[in-house]
């Protein structure tokens, strides 16, 4: 992968006083040829600056390092799939909401009011409404179990109606043109909710709020249903109304054309907190663009808890220990006779530690002394430089990298100017790129199998190499390791049983 090209997909650095929200249809979390998309550098670069992720069409439960992931999958189906991920340092401010009684294509969490200093919490809803002609929807229609996702969303929002603020995002496969919902006057909304009165046109904001900018002028039935839902729940479509997307850019670009089907909606009380909505460039991850929204969160820097990757340094490289003739041992022992080392050891031994804090402190000082002796007497192992090619598959050679570079270049061009010529050029190149991957991968495994079976006895070294391709990617991250450590630290720190209880157990 070309590192210079990848920089085009990286979001700009976000202000620390803002909550960064990502909504993205990733069109399957796994690539049939390259494996997990979650380890792809383009994907990682996109999520790196985000605090909350709303992913659609994951097609399975996923786990992303650095995030607490909440998954929702369709029962008895390999399609769809939703995931809301929140950074570990903000996990205490997010509470999952049960949506199983409404629809598997709806997922929701509650964001604490502490984030943005508002008088009430915010309900964040993640939605994936697949096309009516999709195999999943057609199967539901044939079984007589079809329920409209927007109607189910309406039922869910109605059941949680109150003083909560609202953010809805996802892939609705709805086209709304330049229309927008008609936000109700806030005082009228509260009064109508309490009295159960009907609303009139005078209760709505001015007609200038009804329209927004959009490059997609088409309106379909699902788009009208979405507009009605937004109006009913006093929400407004953010696409085409704020900095970063003032023209209402296309969110989905495929071989057949381009459209706006991915949306972010917010209730009237949150509109002043939304700083920007930015659509990232099209990537080879999906034919949908990532939507990244900034919401004002003045207290977010003080609310972050736990650990960050940046707080920890990499484990230092080891030392070369030469066992022959005890050469390394002799050098290490000789280094301990250095006057400065002796002085530090004498100072350390001059006073016995009396508290747990002093024990930890003395232990750290002893480690530093040993490290100093090792640095002066032993040779460090060489650290291999990290490869610039983020795809670790050994069959992913220079031809694959060139094809990927060209595909990314055409994807960016189609994202900026989605003409028919640019779209067809991009998807033609993408098809060719996939053919190259398939050929290279197939050829590699064919040769590997021949080497395994080509001899009278099994070539176990090649067999082990083949087996390694079935290993699952590492799912534990820093937070998991710290949680593991804290659990056993607290477990072993517990006081022993009283003497009378010990005697009872011995009986």
């Amino acid at each position: 992968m070309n590192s210079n090209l990848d920089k085009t997909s990286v979001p700009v650095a976000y202000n620390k006083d803002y909550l960064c929200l990502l909504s993205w249809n990733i069109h399957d979390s796994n690539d049939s040829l390259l494996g997990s998309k979650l380890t792809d550098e383009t994907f990682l670069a996109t999520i790196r600056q985000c605090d909350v992720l709303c992913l659609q069409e994951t097609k399975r439960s996923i786990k992303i390092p650095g995030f607490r992931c909440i998954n929702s999958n369709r029962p008895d189906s390999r399609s769809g799939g939703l995931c809301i991920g929140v950074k570990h340092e903000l996990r205490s401010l997010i509470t999952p909401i049960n949506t199983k009684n409404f629809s598997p294509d709806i997922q929701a969490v509650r964001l604490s009011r502490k984030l943005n200093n508002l008088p009430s919490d915010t309900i964040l809803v993640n939605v994936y409404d697949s096309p009516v002609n999709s195999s999943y929807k057609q199967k539901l229609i044939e079984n007589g179990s079809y329920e409209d996702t927007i109607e189910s969303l309406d039922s869910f929002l109605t059941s949680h109606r109150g003083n909560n603020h609202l953010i809805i995002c996802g892939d609705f496969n709805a086209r709304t043109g330049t229309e927008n919902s008609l936000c109700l006057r806030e005082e009228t909304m509260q009064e109508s909710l309490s009295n159960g009165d009907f609303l009139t046109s005078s209760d709505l904001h001015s007609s200038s709020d009804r329209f927004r900018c959009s490059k997609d002028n088409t309106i379909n039935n699902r788009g009208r249903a979405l507009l009605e839902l937004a109006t009913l729940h006093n929400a407004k479509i953010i696409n085409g109304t704020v900095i970063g997307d003032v023209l209402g850019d296309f969110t989905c670009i495929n071989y057949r054309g381009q459209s706006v089907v991915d949306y972010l909606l917010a209730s009237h009380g949150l509109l002043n907190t939304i700083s920007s909505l930015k659509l990232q460039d099209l990537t080879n991850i999906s034919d949908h663009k990532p939507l990244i929204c900034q919401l004002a969160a003045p207290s977010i820097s003080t609310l972050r808890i736990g650990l960050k990757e940046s707080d920890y340094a990499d484990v230092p490289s080891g030392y070369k220990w030469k066992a022959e003739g005890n050469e390394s041992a002799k050098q290490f022992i000789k280094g301990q006779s250095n006057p400065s080392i002796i002085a530090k050891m004498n100072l350390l031994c001059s006073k016995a530690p009396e508290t747990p804090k002093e024990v930890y402190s003395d232990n750290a000082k002893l480690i530093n002394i040993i490290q100093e002796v090792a640095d002066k007497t032993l040779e460090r192992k060489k650290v291999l430089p990290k490869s610039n090619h983020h795809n670790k598959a050994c069959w992913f050679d220079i031809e694959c990298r060139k094809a990927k570079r060209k595909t990314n270049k055409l994807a960016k061009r189609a994202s900026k100017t989605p003409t028919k010529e640019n779209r067809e050029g991009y998807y033609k190149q993408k098809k060719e790129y996939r053919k190259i991957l398939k050929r290279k991968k197939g050829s590699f495994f064919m040769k590997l199998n021949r080497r395994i079976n080509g001899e009278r006895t099994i070539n176990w070294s090649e067999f082990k190499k083949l087996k390694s391709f079935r290993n699952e990617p590492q799912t534990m991250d820093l937070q998991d390791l710290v949680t593991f450590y804290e659990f056993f630290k607290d477990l072993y720190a517990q006081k022993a049983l009283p003497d009378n209880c010990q005697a009872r157990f011995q009986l």
Side-chain angles (χ1 to χ4, degrees):
M1 183 179 291
N2 188 320
S3 58
N4 293 330
L5 181 62
D6 291 344
K7 293 178 182 178
T8 60
S9 301
V10 180
V12 296
Y14 288 95
N15 192 304
K16 62 180 180 180
D17 293 330
Y18 286 86
L19 179 76
C20 185
L21 169 67
L22 166 71
S23 177
W24 192 8
N25 181 330
I26 61 174
H27 200 263
D28 200 340
S29 58
N30 193 67
D31 187 283
S32 59
L33 293 173
L34 294 174
S36 176
K37 294 181 180 179
L38 308 180
T39 58
D40 185 276
E41 182 61 25
T42 304
F43 177 83
L44 295 175
T46 303
I47 70 169
R48 192 165 291 139
Q49 298 295 330
C50 298
D51 298 301
V52 179
L53 314 177
C54 292
L55 305 178
Q56 302 91 40
E57 269 202 284
T58 56
K59 298 193 176 182
R60 58 184 56 80
S61 295
I62 63 175
K63 184 172 182 181
I64 303 172
F67 289 84
R68 176 196 176 191
C69 291
I70 305 166
N71 294 278
S72 176
N73 298 307
R74 291 171 173 173
D76 304 322
S77 176
R78 297 175 62 184
S79 63
L82 297 167
C83 175
I84 293 180
V86 57
K87 278 190 173 177
H88 284 308
E89 57 212 59
L90 296 174
R91 64 190 183 278
S92 63
L93 303 174
I94 306 293
T95 307
I97 299 175
N98 188 359
T99 58
K100 292 182 179 180
N101 296 331
F102 298 94
S103 172
D105 295 327
I106 298 172
Q107 187 184 27
V109 296
R110 185 182 300 275
L111 306 180
S112 171
R113 68 192 73 181
K114 297 178 181 178
L115 278 170
N116 41 24
N117 293 337
L118 293 175
S120 57
D121 294 340
T122 299
I123 295 179
L124 171 64
V125 187
N126 187 21
V127 181
Y128 174 61
D129 195 0
S130 53
V132 178
N133 58 357
S134 65
S135 58
Y136 174 74
K137 289 292 179 75
Q138 290 300 315
K139 183 179 179 180
L140 293 180
I141 293 174
E142 292 173 3
N143 296 338
S145 57
Y146 173 77
E147 293 183 5
D148 185 80
T149 304
I150 293 182
E151 291 182 1
S152 299
L153 177 59
D154 176 41
S155 300
F156 168 76
L157 296 177
T158 301
S159 67
H160 287 78
R161 179 172 284 176
N163 295 325
N164 298 308
H165 297 289
L166 186 65
I167 297 176
I168 309 172
C169 62
D171 177 8
F172 293 85
N173 282 292
R175 303 178 71 175
T176 59
T178 58
E179 293 282 330
N180 206 338
S181 61
L182 298 176
C183 288
L184 307 175
R185 300 184 189 279
E186 191 167 8
E187 63 276 8
T188 304
M189 183 68 173
Q190 296 297 333
E191 184 178 352
S192 300
L193 290 176
S194 59
N195 298 333
D197 296 337
F198 290 99
L199 302 169
T200 65
S201 58
S202 61
D203 296 327
L204 303 173
H205 284 278
S206 63
S207 59
S208 61
D209 290 337
R210 178 176 177 179
F211 299 100
R212 58 187 177 84
C213 293
S214 178
K215 294 182 179 180
D216 185 359
N217 296 317
T218 303
I219 303 179
N220 59 13
N221 291 333
R222 189 176 287 183
R224 294 187 182 93
L226 180 61
L227 290 169
E228 291 176 3
L229 173 83
T231 301
L232 180 63
H233 294 280
N234 196 32
K236 183 177 180 180
I237 297 176
I238 304 302
N239 303 54
T241 64
V242 296
I243 295 174
D245 188 38
V246 292
L247 298 179
D249 203 2
F250 296 111
T251 65
C252 178
I253 300 175
N254 55 36
Y255 188 82
R256 296 185 300 273
Q258 59 274 346
S259 58
V260 177
V261 294
D262 305 272
Y263 296 93
L264 188 138
L265 298 85
S267 56
H268 178 66
L270 283 179
L271 297 182
N272 291 334
T273 68
I274 296 177
S275 171
S276 66
L277 176 67
K278 298 180 181 180
L279 275 64
Q280 304 299 297
D281 288 336
L282 192 68
T283 69
N284 59 0
I285 297 288
S286 169
D287 54 6
H288 292 257
K289 295 181 180 180
L291 279 66
I292 299 181
C293 179
Q294 276 188 300
L295 295 97
S299 303
I300 191 170
S301 57
T302 60
L303 294 172
R304 295 185 186 275
I305 61 171
L307 308 164
K308 302 178 185 178
E309 298 284 348
S310 57
D311 294 338
Y312 289 81
D314 293 333
V315 176
S317 60
Y319 298 91
K320 291 183 179 180
W321 188 269
K322 300 176 182 179
E324 297 179 2
N326 293 328
E327 181 180 347
S328 296
K330 292 177 181 177
Q331 292 293 332
F332 188 74
I333 294 173
K334 184 178 179 180
Q336 297 177 33
S337 61
N338 186 293
S340 64
I341 298 297
I342 295 175
K344 291 179 181 180
M345 286 297 298
N346 290 335
L347 179 63
L348 182 63
C349 298
S350 61
K351 181 184 177 183
E354 298 178 355
T355 64
K357 187 176 180 180
E358 291 180 354
V359 172
Y360 289 130
S361 176
D362 286 359
N363 181 65
K365 291 177 182 178
L366 178 60
I367 291 174
N368 290 335
I369 293 172
I370 296 173
Q371 186 91 35
E372 183 180 346
V373 175
D375 287 337
K376 292 180 178 180
T377 60
L378 302 177
E379 183 181 355
R380 279 190 178 273
K381 294 179 180 179
K382 291 183 179 179
V383 180
L384 296 176
K386 293 183 179 180
S387 172
N388 291 328
H389 308 304
H390 299 285
N391 194 298
K392 300 301 182 182
C394 49
W395 52 266
F396 197 89
D397 58 12
I398 185 64
E399 184 180 359
C400 296
R401 289 194 291 271
K402 286 182 178 179
K404 184 175 183 178
R405 192 177 303 130
K406 185 176 180 180
T407 304
N408 286 338
K409 183 177 180 180
L410 292 177
K412 182 181 178 183
R413 182 183 299 174
S415 180
K416 297 293 184 183
T417 313
T419 61
K420 183 178 180 181
E421 180 182 1
N422 288 345
R423 290 197 321 271
E424 291 180 350
Y426 164 60
Y427 279 97
K428 181 180 179 180
Q429 171 58 30
K430 186 176 181 179
K431 186 177 181 181
E432 183 64 28
Y433 171 54
R434 302 288 296 180
K435 285 183 178 179
I436 293 174
L437 295 181
K438 190 174 182 180
R439 172 168 54 84
K440 291 287 185 179
K441 186 176 182 180
S443 175
F444 170 79
F445 282 104
M446 185 178 295
K447 291 178 181 178
L448 186 60
N449 279 282
R450 283 176 182 172
R451 290 197 295 270
I452 293 173
N453 300 319
E455 303 177 5
R456 292 184 178 180
T457 58
I458 295 178
N459 188 331
W460 289 106
S461 62
E462 298 295 334
F463 181 78
K464 186 177 180 181
K465 185 186 297 184
L466 178 64
K467 186 179 177 182
S468 67
F469 285 97
R470 297 187 61 85
N471 292 340
E472 294 293 328
Q474 179 69 28
T475 56
M476 289 190 69
D477 59 14
L478 178 64
Q479 185 63 42
D480 295 325
L481 295 174
V482 172
T483 303
F484 181 84
Y485 164 75
E486 293 291 345
F487 172 79
F488 283 100
K489 179 184 175 184
D490 294 339
L491 179 66
Y492 290 120
Q494 294 177 6
K495 295 182 178 180
L497 292 172
D499 294 338
N500 58 342
C501 290
Q502 293 183 6
R504 191 181 308 163
F505 279 114
Q506 289 175 358
L507 294 175

